[in-house]
Structures are given as C-alpha cells and as structure tokens.
Amino acid sequence: MSVSSHKIIAFTFLLYIHRVQAQYFILNFSDEDFHNGFDNNSTNEDSNYEKFGQTEPRSDQDLDPGSWRPILEQLDDSVVHPALTPYYSALKKMVSAASEGNFMLMEEAVNEVNASASAGDPPARSVMGFVYGMGMTREANGTKSFQQHQLAAEGGNMQSKMALAFRYVQLDMHDKAAKLYAEVAGTALSSFLISKDFSMVVPLRIHRGAEEDKDVLRRFRGEDGEDFKILEYQAQIGHPSAMYRTGLFYYFSLRGIRHDHAKAMYWFSEAAEKRELRSMEILGEIYALGTGVEKNYTKAFRCLTLAAEGGLYSAYTGLGYLYLKGYGVDKNYTKARECFEKVSDREDPSGMYYLGMLYLKGIGVKRDVKQATKYFLVASNAGLPKGMYQIAKMLHAGAELKKNPNMLKLAVALYKSVSERGPWSSLSRWALEAYMKGDVGKAFILYSRMSELGYEVAQSNAAWILDKYGKRSMCMGVSGFCTDKERKERAHALWWRASKQGNDYAALLVGDAYYYGRGKERDFVRAAEAYMYAKSQLNAQAMFNLGYMHEYGQGLPFDLNLAKSYYNQALENEPVSKFPIMLALVRLWVRRKYVDVSIMVTLLLASLITVLHLFNKRSQRREVTVDSIGADVAQPLVESAAFPN
Ligand SMILES: *[C@@H]1O[C@H](CO)[C@@H](O)[C@H](O)[C@H]1NC(C)=O
Ligand SMILES: *[C@@H]1O[C@H](CO)[C@@H](O)[C@H](O)[C@H]1NC(C)=O
Ligand SMILES: *[C@@H]1O[C@H](CO)[C@@H](O)[C@H](O)[C@H]1NC(C)=O
Ligand SMILES: *[C@@H]1O[C@H](CO)[C@@H](O)[C@H](O)[C@H]1NC(C)=O
Ligand SMILES: *[C@@H]1O[C@H](CO)[C@@H](O)[C@H](O)[C@H]1NC(C)=O
Ligand SMILES: *[C@@H]1O[C@H](CO)[C@@H](O)[C@H](O)[C@H]1NC(C)=O
Ligand SMILES: *[C@@H]1O[C@H](CO)[C@@H](O)[C@H](O)[C@H]1NC(C)=O
C-alpha cells in the first residue's frame, strides 16, 4: 500500500503564514493522524470545493457585493446595478466627507446609508456596521455593529462575513470564525480568476516603527526607474519587457493605475508578438479562463505551448490544466500530470498544488491523501493561497473530528490569510494612493474599514495615521471631529488589535500606553503583559522594558537577576542599539554590587544614558518588516482548480 511505503517520512513541516502574522507554525502530522481519519473522506466529499469548478468568471459585484471599487475608481454609473444607486451615492458622499473633513456631509451620508440599510440593502447594512463600530456620527456600539454585519452577511455581503469572522476570532469563538472564513476564502479563490494572487495586492505598511516608511512610499511612487509614465513610454517605443509590465499595471490596477482590461490585453498581445514569454503565458491563461475576453482554447493552447517551449516552465501549469479538463486538447491525465511534474521539478508551487489535487482526488494516480498533503504544504509554504486553502480545509475537518482547538486556530489563521487576498484587498491600494496624494482623511477611512475586516497592516496603518497626523487624520467622532481623547482611544484599540495579531511594535505601543498612562489609566501590570507579548515576538525594546520593570519593581516583582537576563536578551536581539542596554547593565551591576548605592550614582548614570542616547539617535525599536512590492514577483497564473471528479 502506498501509504505505508511512505511511513519513514517524518511529517513535520514549518508552515509559514505569509505576511499576515510574523509567526511560524509547526505542523506535526504523525502517521497516526493520517490513519485515524485526520482526513480521509472529508476533503473529497466537500461539495464546496466543486463550486469553484465553474470556470465562468464571476463578476466583481458577484464576488464582492457592494464593493467600494466603483467609488474609488470613479467608474461611471452604468457598471453599478440600479438597485444599488442610492447606496453608492451615499458611500461616495461618505468617502468625500472623510477626504474633505466635512462633518456635515458625513452626517448626511450616514443618514442616507441608514435609509438604504433600513430598506434592507445588505451593503448599506455592512457600512452601518462600520459606522457603529467606529462611532462615526453615531455612538459607538459593538452590539449594533455586530447586528448590522450579521444582517448584511445574511444578505450575502462578503465584507460583513469577514468582519464577523474577525470578531469571532477576537472572541475566541474559532469554530464560528472558521465557518465564515472558509466561505470568504472560497470566494477569494474564485476571484483569482480575475485578480489572481499576485503578491503586490498585499497591503503595504506605510510606517516603520514611529516613522513613515520612505522606502515603501518611494517604491510606490516609482522613483526606482519604475515610474509608470516612463514604463509606458518604454512600452510604446517597443521594449517587450516594459510592454509586459505595463500590461500588468493595467490588469491588476497597480499603484493607483485604473483597471483597464482592454489596455492590458493590448500590451500583452504586443509583447507576445515580440515573443515575450511571460506575456504569452498570461495571455494563454486569460484565454483559457475567459476573464474579460471570449474564451478561446485554441489560442490558449497556442500561447501556453509557445511560452513553455520557449523555456518558461511555469506555462506548463496552464497546459496541464488544459489536458486535465480536455479544453482544446484531448483529455489526458497522464499528460496533465507530466506537465505539473515539469513545473514542480522547478520548485514552482503552482505545479505542486496541482499535483496535490491529483493525489487528493485520485485523478490519473492512486488516491493518496498523505502525498497530497505534502504537496499542499510545500505550496502553502511558498505562499500560494490555494495551497493554504487546502491545508486549512484539512485542518478544519481534522479539528472537528478530533475536537482539537489548536488545529482549529491554525485553520482559521490560514483561511484568514487566504480571505485577505480577496477582491476587497484592493481597498488598500486606494488607501495608499490617497495617502501618497496627501489625502490623509480618505486613506484613514479606507484603512479603518479594512481594520474592521481584520487586516493587521491596515490596523497598524490607521493607528499610525491617528498618532502621526492627529487632527489631520479627519477622524470623526460622535458629534464632530474626534477629540484628543477619542483619537487616543481609537488608536489604542487599533494598536491593540494589531498587537494581538503578532505585530510586536503595536504590542510595544500598547505597553507604552499603559506604562505612561497615555489615553489609558496608568497600569504597570497591563503594560508588563503587553511587553511580554512583544517580547515573545523577539522585540528587543520590550525585553529592555521588561528588564527595567523588574529592576524597579514596576508591575513585575523586583528582581535584579531577571532584569539582567532581560537586558541580556535585548542585547542579543538587537546589537545596533546596544548603548542604552549596556548602560542599563552597568547600572544594574552598580545596583547589584552596592544595593545601597547613593541616589547620586543612579542619577548620574541616568543623565549619562540620556546624553548618550541622544547621541546615538538610532531607532531603538525593532523595525517592523515591510512587504515588498514590485510587478516582477508575479506568481504564475493558475485557475482555481476546476477539477473533474
Ligand atoms: C511530532 O510528534 C511526535 C509524536 O506525536 C513527537 O514524537 C515529535 O517529537 C514531534 N516533533 C516535533 C518537532 O514536535
Ligand atoms: C469515510 O468513509 C467511510 C465509507 O464511506 C466511512 O465508513 C468512514 O467512517 C468515513 N471516515 C471518516 C473519518 O469520516
Ligand atoms: C484512511 O486511509 C488509510 C489508507 O488509505 C486507511 O489505512 C485508514 O484506515 C483510513 N481511515 C479511515 C478512518 O477511513
Ligand atoms: C435609521 O433609519 C430608521 C428608519 O428610517 C430610523 O428609524 C432610525 O432612527 C435611523 N437610525 C439612525 C441611527 O439614524
Ligand atoms: C447598544 O445597542 C444595543 C441594542 O441596540 C442597546 O441595547 C445598548 O443599550 C446599546 N449600548 C450602548 C452602550 O449604547
Ligand atoms: C479562436 O482563435 C482561433 C485562432 O486565433 C480562431 O481561428 C478561432 O475562430 C477562434 N475561435 C473562437 C470560438 O473564437
Ligand atoms: C496520454 O499521454 C501519454 C503520454 O504523453 C500517451 O502515452 C498516451 O497515449 C496518451 N493517452 C491518450 C488516450 O491519448
């Protein structure tokens, strides 16, 4: 039996959840797990999966009803369903009000949204959920917010489902969260037919610690020879690679460029004429799926074959898909498998994913869940959302069977990660674009909306904007612009959520807020808790602070030995700012040696520390990692698996 022949393999894998949480998970699947029905049947029987089998691309409104995109891209009214006209008109007012800082207009907008919501319009209810959640022109009320989202979700609103799922996670109700996220993640997958899981749709963090992240913003602006105008010019004078990239900008609506399918197709075709392989591949995929063009398997097959024969191995994924489905060619599972194997031999995750699917479904091979899992794990670790989705489903099924809460949590984290690649993630591109144009109010409201949906990066961006821009963030409270107190509270709530999602800088700020009593009652115990959390993410500043609190018995027991151990840990984790840490160690040494040391010495050292600290004005805080952007990191396009049974 094939399973036992694989018995030697130790099923321990590092599963890295990309960009969502800076955390590693270790999945330790034992052989026993596989034999005891970790997942023998469930994945196969799951009809949910087959739903993605529809290769008909679904419209934006279908995937993300009430999407904010028409407002942000200023599409003309014809693309909007007539029934949604009042909703969109109100939403438009709302975004303008935030942008202009016009409270009267905001009230008007909220009244209009409320009217649509009262009439039973799900997207309007979803926005009311947001309004109550923020406390914007209405008293903040978690219950009302929840109710509105629930009604909207019942009406099929995906963004509300996501907001609810995130709320369930916060409430530790992971079973409910998993159900909702599974659905949202499934929808996100079908959106890849159109917007794919390209890595540049991942939200960008606009700050690094307390400062604006100039690097990210420069790259977004395109000062690294990536200026879109220059790029398009190069395309016009006939550079094939520039043509391809220009096409990508239009196809995925990158960096604030308006989505334009026709222009994208034009540039891909021009480049393909010049034998630009990546363009041939993407054209092949587009023709195979019929996203925005008439499906044409003949063309798809030709483009993909040319790309593959030209040496672009990833194109074999598309070819394999055509063989699998018998589109434009005779159905041949052997050939399909050979194609996927060619791709995965090059360590391409999409090939691995499809091989996994063949084993999972037993198509052209003997069904082997273990083998499938292995492939999915590799694909998942490489950041392929489809791989993550499969693993999440297995864990989800396994967790229900075994009543294992940790498995369930992990499933939720993976589903969430996939969900966040859905079409709603485009909010972040428009937020960033607004921010770049100096429209802080618009950026803030868009990031706030995304915060509600659970995006950690958006939570930290919104909180940072509040802290950094104060009144200019156009934060709106119950009866006018936010007071200082309202702003601090809102920022604290946002940092708090981000910290719970593994953002160590946020945890540090939450700790600071309690430590210094900023926007919160001074509370050393809670400060220590937050620092402890940041410490667990290897934040050197938090270690330093914990050392300090032990040294002075603030919130933590007075303990010079523990203090020393924390200072040492801080030193290990951040050699760059070792001055203050070294001085703390010196101070500690003095204190330990001469417990009754005169206050003078301490004061002297303290002032020395300050002086040196100012001298050495490097950021003490660990830099928060920033996601990279760039159109060249594109992953191969694969359709989200319409598998035959
Ligand atoms: C994996 O689980 C097995 C048995 O459950 C255990 O013996 C082994 O130490 C675990 N490995 C890791 C890396 O946790
Ligand atoms: C799998 O299916 C078989 C037969 O359909 C059934 O007897 C068995 O209980 C199922 N196992 C699990 C774990 O659901
Ligand atoms: C799952 O499949 C394996 C191998 O195919 C088999 O040994 C095991 O008994 C199955 N478990 C269940 C619960 O059906
Ligand atoms: C929303 O509209 C309903 C019905 O028109 C009204 O009864 C309610 O007071 C409004 N609520 C708010 C908060 O404006
Ligand atoms: C929030 O709304 C609920 C239900 O509408 C209401 O019962 C509750 O009193 C409100 N809470 C606050 C703090 O206003
Ligand atoms: C598909 O493309 C081929 C070659 O470009 C063309 O001859 C054929 O008519 C097209 N088929 C359809 C259904 O449009
Ligand atoms: C499928 O492809 C394999 C290998 O490419 C070939 O040997 C086989 O004859 C093909 N099967 C059919 C039914 O065409």
Side-chain angles (χ1 to χ4, degrees), residues 13 134 167 169 177 180 189 199 203 213-214 221 230 307 311 348 403-404 412 473 480 558 589:
F13 290 89
M134 291 261 284
R167 209 153 302 180
V169 171
L180 283 167
L189 282 196
S199 42
D213 190 334
K214 299 275 191 284
R221 223 180 256 123
I230 296 176
D348 185 307
K403 309 260 172 282
N404 181 333
V412 168
S473 64
F558 172 79
W589 179 80

Side-chain angles (χ1 to χ4, degrees), residues 346-626:
R346 307 261 150 169
E347 315 217 323
D348 185 307
S350 71
M352 306 261 187
Y353 167 76
Y354 275 99
L355 280 178
M357 289 309 296
L358 294 182
Y359 280 106
L360 183 67
K361 304 248 161 192
I363 300 170
V365 290
K366 190 172 177 335
R367 187 161 182 271
D368 185 341
V369 177
K370 200 161 161 178
Q371 192 64 26
T373 311
K374 248 174 74 179
Y375 282 123
F376 291 146
L377 277 170
V378 178
S380 180
N381 281 337
L384 195 74
K386 285 176 213 136
M388 293 184 192
Y389 179 74
Q390 289 303 329
I391 294 290
K393 276 179 57 162
M394 291 182 161
L395 288 167
H396 191 181
E400 278 179 355
L401 214 65
K402 290 187 153 187
K403 309 260 172 282
N404 181 333
N406 287 329
M407 250 180 174
L408 190 61
K409 273 189 198 168
L410 190 50
V412 168
L414 285 167
Y415 278 140
K416 179 170 184 282
S417 180
V418 179
S419 300
E420 291 184 352
R421 313 285 183 104
W424 30 85
S425 73
S426 67
L427 281 170
S428 76
R429 278 177 276 166
W430 296 102
L432 185 56
E433 204 220 347
Y435 182 79
M436 298 296 296
K437 288 187 175 158
D439 192 343
V440 179
K442 184 169 167 187
F444 176 67
I445 197 170
L446 297 181
Y447 281 133
S448 300
R449 171 65 170 178
M450 291 184 83
S451 303
E452 195 187 27
L453 305 185
Y455 288 86
E456 184 273 311
V457 173
Q459 289 158 1
S460 114
N461 283 348
W464 179 80
I465 287 178
L466 280 173
D467 282 354
K468 179 90 177 175
Y469 287 87
K471 286 197 176 69
R472 281 171 58 208
S473 64
M474 307 292 176
C475 165
M476 304 219 184
V478 180
S479 49
F481 285 107
C482 291
T483 60
D484 277 359
K485 186 164 167 288
E486 274 175 318
R487 259 202 319 276
K488 286 217 173 74
E489 279 170 2
R490 210 175 276 186
H492 181 82
L494 287 163
W495 285 127
W496 188 81
R497 282 189 213 165
S499 83
K500 291 282 164 206
Q501 298 202 65
N503 180 330
D504 61 338
Y505 175 71
L508 195 60
L509 288 186
V510 171
D512 285 353
Y514 284 120
Y515 188 90
Y516 297 106
R518 272 191 227 127
K520 286 278 139 196
E521 286 278 296
R522 198 166 181 163
D523 186 336
F524 286 147
V525 177
R526 292 194 137 174
E529 260 170 34
Y531 288 144
M532 207 59 102
Y533 188 76
K535 188 209 82 139
S536 69
Q537 311 285 320
L538 298 184
N539 184 298
Q541 177 73 39
M543 292 170 186
F544 182 87
N545 294 354
L546 285 169
Y548 190 88
M549 291 170 89
H550 271 301
E551 184 180 346
Y552 292 98
Q554 294 173 332
L556 292 171
F558 172 79
D559 187 332
L560 295 183
N561 287 325
L562 267 178
K564 180 158 183 300
S565 131
Y566 277 122
Y567 288 143
N568 282 334
Q569 282 180 40
L571 202 57
E572 273 166 32
N573 278 285
E574 186 160 71
V576 283
S577 66
K578 55 177 170 256
F579 255 143
I581 306 176
M582 290 304 280
L583 283 162
L585 282 168
V586 170
R587 184 180 63 213
L588 203 60
W589 179 80
V590 173
R591 290 190 62 180
R592 282 187 345 152
K593 287 269 187 262
Y594 312 98
V595 179
D596 57 345
V597 73
S598 78
I599 198 115
M600 281 306 290
V601 176
T602 317
L603 279 178
L604 197 68
L605 279 167
S607 59
L608 195 63
I609 288 170
T610 319
V611 171
L612 279 170
H613 188 50
L614 289 176
F615 228 86
N616 179 39
K617 232 186 159 181
R618 292 195 68 141
S619 159
Q620 280 185 41
R621 300 196 153 145
R622 197 165 83 102
E623 288 169 349
V624 178
T625 36
V626 183

Side-chain angles (χ1 to χ4, degrees), residues 5 41 61 77 97-98 137 174 176 196 205 208-209 259 296 355 362 433 458 529 535 626 632:
S5 66
N41 306 347
Q61 275 301 335
D77 295 341
T137 76
H174 288 96
K176 290 202 167 176
K196 294 305 171 221
R205 203 181 299 281
R208 217 177 242 263
H259 187 94
N296 189 325
L355 280 178
E433 204 220 347
E529 260 170 34
K535 188 209 82 139
V626 183
D632 45 354

Side-chain angles (χ1 to χ4, degrees), residues 11-12 26-30 32-33:
F11 267 80
T12 306
I26 292 180
L27 282 190
N28 189 355
F29 296 151
S30 64
E32 202 198 345
D33 284 327

Side-chain angles (χ1 to χ4, degrees), residues 331-332 334-335 338:
K331 202 182 259 193
N332 187 329
T334 317
K335 277 213 172 106
E338 282 167 3

Side-chain angles (χ1 to χ4, degrees), residues 238-259:
H239 285 298
S241 163
M243 291 172 172
Y244 167 67
R245 293 164 77 89
T246 306
L248 287 183
F249 271 74
Y250 282 120
Y251 196 82
F252 293 103
S253 158
L254 301 179
R255 304 195 199 162
I257 306 294
R258 215 170 118 174
H259 187 94

